[in-house]
Amino acid sequence: MDRRPLPVDPIDVAVKHWESHGWQDAAPGMGVLTSVMRVQQIFAAEVAEVLRPFGLTFARYEVLMLLLFSRRGSLPLGTMGERLQVHPASVTNAVTRLEQDGLIRRLPNPSDGRSALAELTAKGRRLAVSATDSLNTQVFRSIALPADELPQVYGLLKALRRAAGDFT
Amino acid sequence: MDRRPLPVDPIDVAVKHWESHGWQDAAPGMGVLTSVMRVQQIFAAEVAEVLRPFGLTFARYEVLMLLLFSRRGSLPLGTMGERLQVHPASVTNAVTRLEQDGLIRRLPNPSDGRSALAELTAKGRRLAVSATDSLNTQVFRSIALPADELPQVYGLLKALRRAAGDFT
DNA sequence: TAAGATTGACTCTTCAATCTTC
DNA sequence: GAAGATTGAAGAGTCAATCTTA
């Protein structure tokens, strides 16, 4: 689904339309929201391409990394859903697939019979590290902004997330 | 799928993990990418909630707005895919659904027998304007950033989009 | 009764293959 | 043969309903 670059920025055009329809006060917000949607789409495509050879999606990669960074290499599914801010059903989905691929194991939670733990296997640990190496090199280190502007975007997006009640 | 706010910012935590695993140079990019993904998720949820009563998704709303802003109120499907940066199949999907709902009409393209035009109906035009009023009020005008910071984010995201080859 | 997890239905997206027209 | 659009299949996400345990 690759496209040639457009001669004009379609989001600039949309913002101008908003301004000329009497929606001046909403135009900047519309522009920012639409830009976030589009940048996410670009990032998601890049990440998906890098992760495909590993048999991973971004959601499943995030589950692996959460486990990699955890003290014992295991976490309750509910905790993972909270940290990743996704629906419980999405966690179940990702965990099931990762388990089929032998990257994690499901264990009963000794302290709560209702709960399940996901635990990283040795194979999962190795894959998480390899995939991270690729992502670091091909995506994260290549984000096309002057180095001093990255913390700026980060801070602005963080303000948006905090305002939305993501964290306190 | 609503969640209570977390006591710490999970993205801050991930960035710190990156730094302490010898991936310092990739940490800022990882933080920005992850933040964009999360802010997109928040925005998408807000937009979906506002559009639900109108029977619209964001993708279908974007199609309506593209037609609303076009000279004749009609555009070839391929052109819409380019402007919205989505797969042709997504356009077909959205257009089919909008047509079922009586918001647009499919017409043959007089200048190319392979191509189809989508044309806004009166009903579609009214709905597009109503939905925009709601989005302006409940989402776009309420984006939680000091007014002078919106153009800043916009500019930074635009630099990212340009670097990705979105437009020239 | 409530909480954790799972299931099945539904939506949206992309991809590959196909059909028609240029 | 190439381009525009469509179709069917597969993947991922949410939601509502359900099952089990606390």
Side-chain angles (χ1 to χ4, degrees), chain A residues 128-148:
Chain A
V129 172
S130 301
T132 300
D133 280 341
S134 291
L135 281 178
N136 282 339
T137 302
Q138 298 175 51
V139 183
F140 300 147
R141 272 195 275 264
S142 321
I143 293 201
L145 272 188
D148 62 319

Side-chain angles (χ1 to χ4, degrees), chain B residues 9 25 30 37 55 79 81 90 95 121 130:
Chain B
D9 176 4
D25 52 351
M30 187 280 291
M37 306 291 261
T79 303
S90 298
V95 165
T121 64
S130 300

Side-chain angles (χ1 to χ4, degrees), chain B residues 140-156:
Chain B
F140 299 147
R141 272 195 274 266
S142 320
I143 293 200
L145 272 188
D148 63 320
E149 292 182 357
L150 282 175
Q152 226 184 319
V153 200
Y154 186 76
L156 291 164

Side-chain angles (χ1 to χ4, degrees), chain A:
Chain A
M1 199 215 62
D2 291 342
R3 303 260 182 208
R4 243 172 300 101
L6 295 164
V8 295
D9 177 5
I11 303 188
D12 274 353
V13 173
V15 169
K16 286 197 172 43
H17 278 131
W18 240 253
E19 288 166 350
S20 61
H21 275 71
W23 302 324
Q24 293 86 353
D25 52 350
M30 187 279 291
V32 164
L33 183 142
T34 308
S35 298
V36 168
M37 305 293 259
R38 178 58 187 144
V39 172
Q40 187 270 347
Q41 193 181 3
I42 293 166
F43 281 163
E46 292 180 5
V47 166
E49 191 176 338
V50 173
L51 291 181
R52 189 173 307 123
F54 296 97
L56 291 175
T57 62
F58 189 56
R60 301 206 290 268
Y61 170 76
E62 282 191 297
V63 167
L64 289 184
M65 294 313 285
L66 214 47
L67 292 172
L68 187 67
F69 290 146
S70 68
R71 291 246 178 276
R72 351 181 131 266
S74 71
L75 285 173
L77 300 205
T79 303
M80 297 200 285
E82 274 178 32
R83 303 261 180 90
L84 300 177
Q85 310 276 154
V86 296
H87 197 274
S90 299
V91 178
T92 296
N93 243 332
V95 165
T96 300
R97 175 58 188 271
L98 290 167
E99 191 174 31
Q100 284 169 1
D101 294 346
L103 303 172
I104 67 174
R105 236 188 313 273
R106 264 191 181 85
L107 301 175
N109 187 340
S111 61
D112 186 339
R114 295 169 300 181
S115 171
L117 297 182
E119 183 185 60
L120 214 47
T121 64
K123 182 180 172 190
R125 188 175 296 269
R126 283 194 303 271
L127 194 75
V129 172
S130 301
T132 300
D133 280 341
S134 291
L135 281 178
N136 282 339
T137 302
Q138 298 175 51
V139 183
F140 300 147
R141 272 195 275 264
S142 321
I143 293 201
L145 272 188
D148 62 319
E149 292 182 356
L150 282 176
Q152 225 184 319
V153 199
Y154 186 77
L156 291 165
L157 295 174
K158 185 169 175 173
L160 284 172
R161 293 187 295 115
R162 181 184 286 114
D166 246 23
F167 57 95
T168 54

Side-chain angles (χ1 to χ4, degrees), chain A residues 25-26, chain B residues 50 130-143:
Chain A
D25 52 350
Chain B
V50 173
S130 300
T132 300
D133 280 341
S134 291
L135 281 179
N136 282 339
T137 302
Q138 297 175 53
V139 182
F140 299 147
R141 272 195 274 266
S142 320
I143 293 200

Side-chain angles (χ1 to χ4, degrees), chain B residues 45-63:
Chain B
E46 291 179 5
V47 167
E49 190 177 339
V50 173
L51 291 181
R52 188 171 308 123
F54 296 96
L56 291 176
T57 61
F58 189 55
R60 299 206 290 266
Y61 170 75
E62 282 189 299
V63 168

